[in-house]
């Protein structure tokens, strides 16, 4: 149910693909990827490009008052958030970040993504950045019962270097990426311990977004679901892993009759 609509003025028409929630704030990313008339006139399907003249900043909108406070951020591009939460006088935001994005309106020129943590100091307005995992990865997910709250576990899919699959300098959306833009590995992050577990899905496999389905009260008591495309048969499997036995054999594998684009986003909704 919509409780309030707030207009937030920003310059240069930036692309905003995602945002984050904490118990106190809506976290808004105003990053240096903005609408480009030149690329629109060139005929690019997604006419947004890296803009060095547009400063990176993070907006913290109070969920109570609707007031927005802006803080300077590290220049980067973010498609997706893992989670965010309040921590005393700080706001913690975990994101998959790229050094740059949409350079010349392409996906493949900005550098590989990694999992980062931002700590926003509400007293000083400074943003500290720490690298949680430097492997190229995307499509971060977690136990959505912990959205906006402190949490321990997250899940990502390993990616390779993005390719400009549409060609001719035209950037396709992530949903359009070819299978070989992805790896064959899912990662479970233990953010409390700073460790990871990796689950490979076999040679030649390509994995998509890992969706967590809770089964019990514990944060990792449940299942991780991912579409896994098998180029050899030109179709996808829905692979179901135990989150607590992440590197073990799948609980189940559902053979699907068609390929599912690996950029497809999904959510689990209980019946």
């Amino acid at each position: 149910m919509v409780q309030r609509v707030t207009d937030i003025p920003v310059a240069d028409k930036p692309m905003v693909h995602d945002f984050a929630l904490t118990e106190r704030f809506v976290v808004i990313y105003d990053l240096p990827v903005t609408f480009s008339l030149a690329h629109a006139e060139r005929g690019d399907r997604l006419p947004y490009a890296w803009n060095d003249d547009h400063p990176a900043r993070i907006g913290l909108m109070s969920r109570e008052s609707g007031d927005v406070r802006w803080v300077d951020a590290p220049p980067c591009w973010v498609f997706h958030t893992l989670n965010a939460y309040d921590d005393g006088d700080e706001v913690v935001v975990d994101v998959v970040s790229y050094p740059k994005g949409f350079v010349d309106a392409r996906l493949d020129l900005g550098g590989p993504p990694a999992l980062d943590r931002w700590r926003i100091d509400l007293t000083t307005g400074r943003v500290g950045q720490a690298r949680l995992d430097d492997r190229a990865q995307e499509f971060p997910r977690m136990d959505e019962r912990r959205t906006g709250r402190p949490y321990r576990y997250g899940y990502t899919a390993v990616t390779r270097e993005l390719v400009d699959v549409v060609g001719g300098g035209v950037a396709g959306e992530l949903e359009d990426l070819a299978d070989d833009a992805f790896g064959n590995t899912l990662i479970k992050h233990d953010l409390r311990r700073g460790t990871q577990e990796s689950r490979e899905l076999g040679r030649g496999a390509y994995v998509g977004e890992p969706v967590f389905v809770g089964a019990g009260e514990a944060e990792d008591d449940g299942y991780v679901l991912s579409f896994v495309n098998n180029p050899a048969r030109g179709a996808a499997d829905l692979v179901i892993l135990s989150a607590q036995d992440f590197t073990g054999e799948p609980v189940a594998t559902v053979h699907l009759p068609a390929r599912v684009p690996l950029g497809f986003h999904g959510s689990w909704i209980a019946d």
Side-chain angles (χ1 to χ4, degrees):
M1 178 178 179
V2 177
Q3 297 179 335
R4 179 191 296 115
V5 176
T6 302
D7 292 328
I8 303 174
V10 291
D12 302 326
K13 301 180 178 64
M15 177 187 287
V16 180
H17 188 81
D18 200 3
F19 64 96
L21 293 173
T22 75
E23 293 183 318
R24 290 185 289 172
F25 299 104
V26 179
V27 184
I28 303 158
Y29 312 140
D30 181 11
L31 302 175
V33 173
T34 61
F35 175 77
S36 169
L37 180 60
H39 288 90
E41 291 174 339
R42 193 174 77 178
D44 290 353
R45 192 177 71 175
L46 201 60
Y48 286 82
W50 182 263
N51 182 356
D52 284 316
D53 295 326
H54 185 87
R57 60 181 188 163
I58 300 170
L60 300 174
M61 185 179 77
S62 168
R63 296 179 66 174
E64 181 178 352
S65 68
D67 294 335
V68 181
R69 175 187 179 184
W70 293 101
V71 297
D72 294 334
C76 66
W77 167 244
V78 172
F79 274 117
H80 301 122
T81 306
L82 177 54
N83 196 20
Y85 59 90
D86 302 311
D87 186 15
D89 291 332
E90 294 184 321
V91 176
V92 177
V93 187
D94 294 338
V95 295
V96 171
S97 71
Y98 297 74
K100 292 185 176 182
F102 291 86
V103 176
D104 194 28
R106 296 176 62 97
L107 287 176
D108 57 343
L109 301 178
L115 186 62
D116 285 344
R117 169 165 289 180
W118 295 338
R119 281 192 171 271
I120 305 169
D121 189 315
L122 298 176
T123 302
T124 65
R126 295 177 180 174
V127 179
Q129 181 173 348
R131 180 64 38 97
L132 299 178
D133 190 354
D134 60 5
R135 284 175 288 185
Q137 56 200 284
E138 252 293 357
F139 300 104
R141 297 296 293 267
M142 37 74 72
D143 180 351
E144 293 183 349
R145 297 172 297 183
R146 308 295 304 177
T147 298
R149 301 164 58 197
Y151 72 120
R152 179 173 179 177
Y153 299 108
Y155 308 89
T156 56
V158 167
T159 60
R160 298 185 174 130
E161 185 175 357
L162 296 184
V163 292
D164 193 50
V165 295
V166 180
V170 181
E173 298 179 23
L174 280 186
E175 287 77 3
D176 296 325
L177 291 176
D179 286 352
D180 57 7
F182 294 79
N184 70 341
T185 303
L186 298 174
I187 305 173
K188 176 183 179 181
H189 299 271
D190 186 332
L191 300 169
R192 182 180 302 167
R193 293 183 176 179
T195 60
Q196 299 88 26
E197 293 181 83
S198 298
R199 179 61 167 85
E200 295 185 3
L201 273 298
R203 180 177 297 177
Y206 301 101
V207 300
E209 178 185 55
V211 176
F212 177 82
V213 180
E217 292 186 5
E219 188 181 330
D220 67 342
D221 184 0
Y223 306 95
V224 176
L225 282 60
S226 180
F227 290 120
V228 180
N229 280 335
N230 184 342
R233 70 184 191 91
D237 297 331
L238 175 62
V239 175
I240 304 172
L241 304 173
S242 166
Q244 293 183 337
D245 185 21
F246 192 70
T247 60
E249 290 301 310
V251 174
T253 301
V254 181
H255 302 294
L256 303 177
R259 176 186 179 274
V260 176
L262 290 178
F264 175 80
H265 287 291
S267 288
W268 174 264
I269 300 175
D271 185 355

